[in-house]
Amino acid sequence: MSNDNKPYRPNVGIALFNADGRVLICHRFKGDGPEIILPGLDWQMPQGGVDEGENLRDTAMRELWEETSVTSADYLGETDWLTYEFPPYDGPQTHRLAKFRGQRQKWFALRFTGKDDEIDPLTPRNDQPAEFDAWRWERLDRVADLVVPFRREVYQAVAKQFAPFAN
């Protein structure tokens, strides 16, 4: 089935800024169907799908907690909707992402108010398997160079819009 006829999956992304203006990035250790990873391009900011009827800010906080255990974060701002397309996918059409052409994302800028030992990407939460095996703080303007190419334009747009929070 051509991707052109498929919908975008509603999704949120989270740029979590520490007190030094760096963002949390996590190392993705496995692909997830159409969400492939490539060697050397396996870092990303937390993101995840929106549940039916869920408030988007609540989604951002839920996804941040599920993927990193972080709950100590204050809202700073958000982007308009941004989209990216998945690369061609030849795997099972029963995969939960196979019915989508890509993701339609609203990104949230949050300020981390906790301590680094709160961050734990390896412990599963909400029956969701761990997606990341490492994390670090990175300069926002460098993150687009660390992600898979199909996400790069979105990350560049996020970096431009959230630049004021990186200072």
Side-chain angles (χ1 to χ4, degrees), residues 122-162:
L122 276 171
T123 301
R125 285 167 282 279
N126 272 0
D127 297 319
Q128 298 295 315
E131 295 180 36
F132 306 118
D133 62 0
W135 65 273
R136 73 178 198 243
W137 297 107
E138 183 56 79
R139 283 187 9 215
L140 180 62
D141 63 356
R142 292 200 60 235
V143 178
D145 293 333
L146 303 172
V147 301
V148 288
F150 60 90
R151 286 196 183 125
R152 199 157 284 150
E153 282 184 33
V154 166
Y155 271 64
Q156 290 166 340
V158 168
K160 187 175 183 181
Q161 290 186 48
F162 289 167

Side-chain angles (χ1 to χ4, degrees), residues 2 11 14 23-24 42-43 48-49 53 58 65 81 104 107 127 129 132 140 143 149 154 156-157 167:
S2 160
N11 192 276
I14 300 106
V23 291
L24 178 74
D42 37 17
W43 291 88
D58 293 344
W65 173 74
W81 289 99
R104 180 176 181 253
W107 281 81
D127 297 319
F132 306 118
L140 180 62
V143 178
V154 166
Q156 290 166 340
N167 297 326

Side-chain angles (χ1 to χ4, degrees), residues 65-129:
W65 173 74
E66 282 178 1
E67 295 186 355
T68 69
S69 87
V70 169
T71 58
S72 305
D74 294 333
Y75 174 85
L76 295 172
E78 61 193 71
T79 65
D80 290 331
W81 289 99
L82 303 167
T83 60
Y84 69 81
E85 310 260 331
F86 292 137
Y89 176 64
D90 295 328
Q93 293 305 300
T94 53
H95 188 281
R96 65 186 173 79
L97 297 177
K99 63 185 172 196
F100 300 106
R101 71 188 294 173
Q103 308 230 53
R104 180 176 181 253
Q105 297 182 308
K106 183 173 278 277
W107 281 81
F108 290 84
L110 304 174
R111 179 74 63 198
F112 182 51
T113 58
K115 299 202 180 318
D116 282 4
D117 61 5
E118 180 178 344
I119 303 167
D120 169 20
L122 276 171
T123 301
R125 285 167 282 279
N126 272 0
D127 297 319
Q128 298 295 315

Side-chain angles (χ1 to χ4, degrees), residues 13-27:
I14 300 106
L16 182 70
F17 290 88
N18 69 8
D20 296 326
R22 293 185 181 247
V23 291
L24 178 74
I25 60 171
C26 298
H27 181 259

